[in-house]
Amino acid sequence: MRLRNGEHGYGAVTKVLHWLTLGLIVGQFVVGYTMPTEGSAADAAADRVHDSKDQCKDRPDEERCEEEVDRREDALDAQADADEGPSDLHVGLGLAILALAAARVVWRRVGGLPPWAPALSHAERMVEGWLEKGLMLLLFAIPVSGLLLVLGSDDWLGLHIGAHVAFFVVVGLHLGLVLKHTVIQRDRHLARML
Ligand code: HEM
Ligand code: HEM
């Protein structure tokens, strides 16, 4: 298999970069949606324990009871603090995706792109060209907004979420175009990237 893109189609480097990115992105979404964040279970539990302090009132061991409640509340607060923010895995995967995106831009410049698949109409080529630019842009926007969120302020959360929702839309269209050709028209479009 050839390393570079050319008349024959995509080379190995572009293919590896494309599918590695997809793999990491899928993993990253699983991590992003499952990691505990602010307002976690520990946060809520600490609030409940705090409210239960009233029950100590007028008990013979009131002071000891309140101390016990405080101790449990402190432990849950510490847990909530530890839960806050992204996991190391989320940050690590994000940085790897960012590095891959940069490598792809460089490789597109150096190696160029193969000729368009013959099956794509003029309009589809234009749409796919824009979709690819959008995808590449979002591969930067998502992790960079994540970094701003961690290093700057919580105000960036909207951008971080907005960018990845936009990513779902654009990747859906990209996939739709591929499936239109492979499943409906039964040409070898997907094979170009395999
Ligand atoms: C391509 C890379 C990335 C993807 C696909 C991604 C995706 C996600 C997703 C799906 C969430 C959950 C949002 C929600 O609950 O609706 C999230 C939250 C978050 N991500 Fe990322 N992320 C990426 C990179 C990063 C990086 C590099 C950082 C930081 C260095 C980061 C920091 C955060 C933070 C701070 C949160 C929110 C935690 C909270 O709600 O308190 N992300 N991300
Ligand atoms: C993380 C999600 C994805 C991103 C960011 C992405 C991005 C791209 C980009 C930028 C290209 C142009 C070639 C390049 O510069 O690498 C491309 C081509 C392609 N992608 Fe994706 N893609 C994603 C997911 C998928 C999925 C899920 C499929 C199908 C199962 C797919 C199938 C293809 C095919 C078949 C091509 C070649 C199009 C042609 O014939 O020229 N991609 N993709």
Side-chain angles (χ1 to χ4, degrees):
M1 187 198 274
R2 281 176 240 190
L3 285 180
R4 301 177 75 99
N5 302 331
E7 288 300 317
H8 56 88
Y10 290 105
V13 175
T14 303
K15 289 181 185 175
V16 168
L17 287 171
H18 182 268
W19 296 113
L20 197 58
T21 305
L22 179 68
L24 292 187
I25 279 274
V26 170
Q28 179 70 314
F29 276 111
V30 174
V31 173
Y33 282 127
T34 53
M35 67 187 178
T37 55
E38 260 178 282
S40 66
D43 235 355
D47 287 347
R48 276 199 304 278
V49 167
H50 180 83
D51 293 344
S52 73
K53 211 168 173 178
D54 284 349
Q55 290 167 10
C56 296
K57 271 207 183 91
D58 302 330
R59 272 172 54 159
D61 60 344
E62 182 172 339
E63 210 164 302
R64 237 189 38 161
C65 171
E66 284 181 349
E67 273 169 21
E68 172 64 13
V69 169
D70 284 342
R71 204 183 50 73
R72 279 168 45 208
E73 191 184 340
D74 285 350
L76 285 164
D77 276 341
Q79 178 66 41
D81 280 348
D83 285 351
E84 222 174 82
S87 64
D88 290 347
L89 183 59
H90 189 67
V91 176
L93 277 174
L95 295 179
I97 292 167
L98 190 58
L100 276 178
R104 289 176 75 163
V105 170
V106 172
W107 185 247
R108 270 174 83 115
R109 293 246 153 161
V110 174
L113 287 170
W116 284 108
L120 291 175
S121 70
H122 176 70
E124 284 174 337
R125 289 174 192 196
M126 283 213 348
V127 171
E128 181 57 24
W130 283 107
L131 291 179
E132 287 174 10
K133 287 196 181 69
L135 283 169
M136 296 302 295
L137 188 77
L138 290 167
L139 284 184
F140 285 95
I142 305 173
V144 168
S145 61
L147 280 172
L148 290 171
L149 191 51
V150 170
L151 304 174
S153 79
D154 283 354
D155 299 345
W156 294 103
L157 186 60
L159 184 64
H160 195 51
I161 293 180
H164 85 246
V165 171
F167 179 81
F168 286 145
V169 175
V170 182
V171 94
L173 293 171
H174 176 62
L175 187 62
L177 199 56
V178 172
L179 292 182
K180 168 179 181 281
H181 282 274
T182 45
V183 177
I184 302 175
Q185 292 168 216
R186 298 200 168 271
D187 63 44
R188 290 174 47 76
H189 193 70
L190 181 60
R192 272 167 64 87
M193 197 39 104
L194 289 174

